[in-house]
């Protein structure tokens, strides 16, 4: 029997970019959504009112990556060969422009305070990744102002440089694993993730390459040498994105092919040799899924599709749970808000239901009826909007059409 339930619809559409939206990230406890486009513009959206709070041109070319660093710094990476760290506080927002890229502006938009600029290679489309400079177990971990940042090597995009900020000093260069065939090239680095392993506390780098190769490197602190602990080639075409799980025990990769793969992250180099088998691979039958992101509760992940679809999958089973369609052109970016559990709702189960399974009309997330806490009843309208922004389970999708859709999922 055919279902009469309406397809899921976005809660909000954010309009304002003139060119394709390439990147998106939630910052400040989900109060702000950052989006960047092909002209280098960044928009900081206030999710309490769904309006722009700050708009500036961060780069003179397309933006490859964007992320928050702490509560008041933003990192942007553009194809103009620059990576910039900006200082953006609520006070700074008050003096910045709210004129969107679509709006005609005769005056140059002011920019936030520029803290650091790093000249890097952008021969490919690989963005940066960063982590604290020291593991949590280190006495120096309290130095929150220090990070390590991984980017493609300036001279060879097959290698990866790791810089220290704020010193801007290059600390490491990680070489590409040797191909089994001399005639087979692994190609450029396409996606990176840098972190300290939760068990060994060693600095760990995950990289995806143009040939479809995925590799994990670990730094030996005693010898300062990097060792390959895992490498596999589950993709037949370039890896477009990868994301490490919140507990840093595995990572997922997607490519220009239709494959999504789940890979292990060994705690140290195996004595029996390099691990070469992924945990699981699936053929989604949908090529060109990029910007893969795992939500912070480790239950679901999403991809942006060249076919304009946003797909949501179960992390546990890798099964497709939902297909979100609103955009008419290809999607390039997705981002999850941090999955904070609201006092008025329960967290999703390990296997979330599909959004079209016996839902009330217009609804696509599990509804839980509980008594509203007194503290929420007594809040002012502004406090209620802030609470909603911080606790909503937003999924943002950026598209070639210049629009950003906001979905409330699971």
């Amino acid at each position: 029997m055919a279902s009469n339930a309406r397809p899921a619809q976005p809660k909000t559409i954010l309009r304002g970019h003139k060119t394709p939206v390439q990147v998106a990230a939630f910052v400040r406890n989900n109060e702000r959504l950052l989006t960047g486009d092909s002209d280098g513009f960044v928009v900081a959206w206030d999710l309490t009112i769904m309006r722009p709070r700050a708009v500036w041109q961060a780069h003179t070319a397309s933006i490859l990556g964007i992320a928050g660093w702490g509560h008041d710094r933003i990192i942007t990476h553009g194809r103009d060969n620059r990576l910039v760290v900006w200082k953006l506080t609520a006070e700074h927002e008050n003096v910045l422009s709210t004129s969107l890229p679509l709006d005609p502006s005769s005056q140059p938009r002011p920019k936030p305070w520029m803290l650091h600029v790093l000249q890097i290679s952008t021969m490919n489309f690989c963005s940066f990744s960063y982590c604290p400079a020291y593991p949590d177990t280190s006495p120096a971990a309290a130095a929150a102002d220090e990070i390590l940042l991984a980017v493609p090597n300036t001279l060879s995009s097959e290698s990866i440089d790791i810089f220290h900020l704020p010193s801007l000093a290059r600390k490491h260069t990680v070489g590409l694993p040797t191909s089994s065939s001399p005639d087979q090239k692994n190609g450029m680095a396409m996606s990176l993730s840098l972190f300290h392993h939760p068990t060994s506390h060693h600095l760990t780098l995950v990289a995806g390459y143009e040939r479809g190769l995925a590799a994990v490197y670990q730094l030996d602190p005693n010898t300062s040498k990097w060792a390959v602990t895992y490498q596999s080639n589950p993709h037949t075409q370039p890896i477009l994105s990868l994301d490490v799980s919140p507990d840093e025990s595995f990572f997922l990769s997607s490519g220009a092919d239709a494959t999504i793969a789940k890979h292990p992250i060994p705690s140290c180099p195996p004595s029996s040799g390099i691990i070469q088998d992924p945990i699981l691979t699936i053929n989604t039958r949908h090529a060109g899924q990029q910007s893969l992101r795992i939500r912070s509760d480790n239950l679901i992940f999403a991809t942006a599709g060249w076919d304009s679809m946003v797909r949501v999958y179960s992390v546990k089973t890798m099964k497709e749970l939902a297909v979100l369609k609103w955009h008419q052109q290809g999607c390039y970016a997705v981002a999850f808000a941090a999955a904070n559990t609201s006092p008025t709702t329960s967290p999703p189960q390990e296997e979330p239901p599909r959004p079209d399974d016996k839902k009330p009309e217009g609804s696509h997330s599990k509804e839980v009826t509980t008594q509203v806490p007194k503290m929420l009843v007594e809040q002012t309208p502004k406090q209620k909007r802030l609470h909603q922004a911080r606790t909503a389970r937003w999924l943002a999708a950026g598209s070639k059409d210049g629009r950003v859709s906001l979905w409330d999922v699971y």
Side-chain angles (χ1 to χ4, degrees), residues 48-268:
T48 65
I49 58 174
M50 301 299 173
R51 295 288 186 272
R53 279 293 190 189
V55 181
W56 76 98
Q57 189 170 17
H59 298 273
T60 57
S62 181
I63 294 183
L64 294 174
I66 194 166
W69 173 9
H71 195 72
D72 61 356
R73 281 163 291 188
I74 306 298
I75 306 174
T76 62
H77 177 193
R79 284 189 62 81
D80 56 0
N81 298 313
R82 297 197 315 160
L83 184 143
V84 184
V85 180
W86 311 87
K87 188 173 182 65
L88 183 65
T89 65
E91 292 75 19
H92 291 141
E93 289 179 348
N94 294 330
V95 299
L96 295 178
S97 174
T98 58
S99 176
L100 288 162
L102 267 178
D103 300 332
S105 178
S106 59
Q107 300 295 328
R109 297 171 178 84
K111 298 181 180 182
W113 184 14
M114 193 181 297
L115 296 176
H116 310 290
V117 179
L118 192 62
Q119 299 293 330
I120 56 177
S121 169
T122 52
M123 290 177 59
N124 52 12
F125 294 91
C126 182
S127 183
F128 69 94
S129 177
Y130 83 96
C131 71
Y134 307 97
D136 293 338
T137 56
S138 170
D145 287 340
E146 296 183 48
I147 62 171
L148 295 175
L149 187 142
V151 294
N153 180 267
T154 302
L155 300 178
S156 170
S157 56
E158 296 182 348
S159 299
I160 299 152
D161 286 335
I162 298 177
F163 290 88
H164 173 270
L165 291 182
S167 69
L168 303 182
R170 183 168 59 186
K171 295 294 185 180
H172 307 279
T173 297
V174 184
L176 189 71
T178 304
S179 174
S180 57
S181 171
D183 298 328
Q184 191 174 41
K185 302 296 183 181
N186 287 311
M188 300 181 290
M190 301 293 290
S191 189
L192 305 173
S193 184
L194 185 68
F195 58 96
H196 297 278
H197 196 280
T199 303
S200 67
H201 309 297
H202 293 172
L203 187 61
T204 303
L205 174 68
V206 177
Y209 293 93
E210 191 177 11
R211 182 168 66 89
L213 176 76
V216 178
Y217 307 85
Q218 260 191 26
L219 177 67
D220 186 333
N222 298 318
T223 63
S224 296
K225 293 183 178 180
W226 290 84
V228 179
T229 62
Y230 167 81
Q231 70 179 64
S232 181
N233 209 137
H235 297 275
T236 58
Q237 294 189 45
I239 290 178
L240 298 178
S241 61
L242 59 83
D243 200 19
V244 172
S245 65
D247 61 3
E248 297 169 339
S249 62
F250 66 89
F251 70 98
L252 303 176
S253 63
S254 68
D257 56 11
T259 297
I260 294 179
K262 179 184 288 187
H263 310 263
I265 302 177
S267 60
C268 59

Side-chain angles (χ1 to χ4, degrees), residues 358-410:
K358 297 182 180 180
K359 298 292 180 183
E361 186 173 326
S363 173
H364 56 276
S365 59
K366 186 174 181 179
E367 295 185 355
V368 179
T369 303
T370 58
Q371 185 176 0
V372 178
K374 184 178 179 181
M375 60 171 288
L376 296 184
V377 176
E378 296 176 348
Q379 287 180 340
T380 66
K382 182 177 180 180
Q383 290 172 327
K384 289 180 180 179
R385 291 196 303 267
L386 185 61
H387 172 80
Q388 169 66 18
R390 288 177 172 175
T391 58
R393 296 178 180 273
W394 293 127
L395 169 60
S399 170
K400 184 179 179 180
D401 58 20
R403 299 169 184 173
V404 179
S405 56
L406 271 180
W407 308 76
D408 189 2
V409 296
Y410 301 121

